[in-house]
Amino acid sequence: MPAEPPTVALRRLVNGYQVTQAIHVAAALGIADLLTDGARSADDLAAAVGAHAPSLCRVLRALAAVGVLHEGDDGRFSLTAIGQCLRSDAPDPVGGWAAFAGRPSHFAAWSNLLHAVRTGENAFRSVHGTDVWEYRAAHPEEGAIFDRAMTDVTRRANRHLLEAYDFGRFASVVDVGGGHGELLAALLSAHPRMRGVLFDLPHVVAGATAEAGRCEVVAGSFFDDPIPAGADAYVLKAILHDWGDEEAMRILRSCHSAAPEHAALLVIDRDLGAPNENADAKLSDLNMMVGPGGRERTRGEFAALFTAGGFTLERVVPTAIGLSVFEGRPAEA
C-alpha cells in the first residue's frame, strides 16, 4: 500500500476534533449500550434516545467510516471491536472518557491552548475564571461526568497494573486521592488478606462503596488534612500529574509524614519518555497544561520530585497500558 501523502496525513490530524465530537455524541447518548444485542437502524436509535434521526444517522455513518461502528447493507448499525469499548459494561471502558472529553467546558479550554502557550496562563482558568476543581464543585453535573470518566480510566487500567506489579506483598494500603475506590476495590479483591483505606475529598468518597470489614473510608484533603498513617503502601494514581511541582511536593511530604520507615510510595502515572516517542504521554501532558495545570514527567523529574518530598525513587515498573509504577521509599534521615 502506498504511503499516505504528508498533506493527507496532516489534514487528518488537524481534523481529529471532528472524530472526538462524533464519538462524544455516541457516548453521551448511550448508543453503544443500545447496540449491545445487535444492529439497529438510525431511526430506531433516534427514537430510543430522543434525537433527530437524519442528524444522528450522519454521525453514525461517520463513525462507521472510521471503524467505531459498522454500517450494514440494510442501513443498520452495529458495534465493531473498537465500538464495544464505548459500552458501559466494557471490560476496558472508554465511554466515560468520551462523554467527558467532548464536553463544552473541556473543549473550550482546549480552544484556548494558544493563549496558554503565549502567556503561560492556565487555559481552563482563563476561559472559565476558576480552576477545574472549583468549577466542578460549582457544577455537580460536570463533576459527575468527570468522576465517571476517572472511574472508567481506573477500571481500564486495573488489570494491567495487577499483572505488572506485585501489590500482594502489602498487608495494608492507603489509596490517596482514590476517588470512588475502583483501584482499591480491585486490590482488595485480588488480595484477600489486604486491608485498605480510601482517602479523598468528602463529596468524592460519598460515592464510594467500601468492602465491609476490610476497607475504611476517610474524607479529607491531601493538602489540608493528615493522611492516614501506618500503612505498608501509599498509592497515588493519576494524582501528581494534576499538579505543578510545588503542589506535588506538598502531597509527597504529607505522605512522608504518614508513612512508616518500611512503607512503599507507589506513584502511578505516565512516563513522559524520550524525544520523538510516547505520543499518548506527551498529549496527556498538554491535557494537564490545559486543564488542571499539572504536567506529565520524565523518570528524572520524578526522581527529583521524590527527593524533594522525602522519598528515594527505587525502581520504575511499566505496564502494558502506558502507565508506570514509580516505587519509592522514605529517604534515610
Side-chain angles (χ1 to χ4, degrees):
M1 180 179 295
E4 187 177 48
T7 184
V8 174
L10 181 58
R11 182 178 174 84
R12 176 172 47 78
L13 291 172
V14 169
N15 289 339
Y17 72 94
Q18 297 172 347
V19 177
T20 299
Q21 283 295 342
I23 295 173
H24 168 72
V25 168
L29 294 177
I31 296 297
D33 284 351
L34 294 174
L35 294 176
T36 297
D37 295 327
R40 298 175 69 169
S41 70
D43 287 347
D44 187 18
L45 291 168
V49 301
H52 181 246
S55 298
L56 179 61
C57 183
R58 295 166 73 174
V59 170
L60 298 179
R61 72 189 184 192
L63 291 176
V66 297
V68 177
L69 301 177
H70 174 76
E71 184 177 3
D73 293 338
D74 58 359
R76 297 195 302 164
F77 295 90
S78 58
L79 295 172
T80 63
I82 294 174
Q84 292 282 354
C85 299
L86 291 175
R87 289 172 48 179
S88 60
D89 62 349
D92 292 321
V94 186
W97 180 257
F100 162 73
R103 293 292 295 175
S105 60
H106 184 68
F107 238 61
W110 265 95
S111 74
N112 219 34
L113 177 61
L114 178 59
H115 174 79
V117 170
R118 282 177 167 160
T119 66
E121 296 177 7
N122 176 251
F124 192 97
R125 179 181 286 276
S126 67
V127 170
H128 299 289
T130 186
D131 64 35
V132 293
W133 317 111
E134 293 170 347
Y135 182 87
R136 290 169 191 147
H139 300 81
E141 70 285 359
E142 296 292 334
I145 291 169
F146 176 77
D147 288 345
R148 181 198 162 197
M150 293 302 98
T151 296
D152 273 11
V153 167
T154 299
R155 284 176 53 205
R156 184 167 165 255
N158 282 347
R159 172 169 55 88
H160 301 282
L161 288 168
L162 289 169
E163 288 174 355
Y165 187 88
D166 178 19
F167 293 91
R169 56 202 177 94
F170 304 119
S172 57
V173 173
V174 177
D175 192 356
V176 182
H180 288 174
E182 288 288 332
L183 173 59
L184 188 56
L187 295 180
L188 296 179
S189 176
H191 306 293
R193 296 183 180 180
M194 180 184 288
R195 299 176 64 85
V197 178
L198 177 65
F199 180 77
D200 211 323
L201 295 170
H203 73 275
V204 176
V205 297
T209 301
E211 185 164 340
R214 295 177 56 211
C215 181
E216 180 184 0
V217 177
V218 178
S221 163
F222 43 57
F223 289 124
D224 302 319
D225 300 302
I227 293 172
D232 295 327
Y234 288 80
V235 178
L236 291 162
K237 179 185 174 294
I239 300 298
L240 295 190
H241 77 162
D242 284 338
W243 304 97
D245 288 347
E246 285 298 322
E247 295 88 353
M249 282 188 284
R250 287 178 59 194
I251 297 169
L252 291 182
R253 287 168 184 155
S254 293
C255 290
H256 187 269
S257 296
E261 291 183 0
H262 73 274
L265 173 73
L266 307 178
V267 172
I268 302 171
D269 260 321
R270 295 181 183 274
D271 182 348
L272 194 57
N276 307 308
E277 64 180 40
N278 209 356
D280 283 350
K282 291 179 170 69
L283 290 171
S284 180
D285 182 50
L286 292 185
N287 196 46
M288 294 303 103
M289 181 172 74
V290 165
R295 61 188 305 142
E296 304 294 356
R297 295 175 172 90
T298 64
R299 295 188 183 197
E301 289 169 334
F302 272 114
L305 197 60
F306 274 43
T307 298
F311 292 90
T312 300
L313 178 62
E314 294 193 334
R315 63 172 177 149
V316 181
V317 180
T319 74
I321 203 168
L323 296 171
S324 293
V325 182
F326 296 83
E327 180 183 323
R329 299 280 174 178
E332 295 183 4

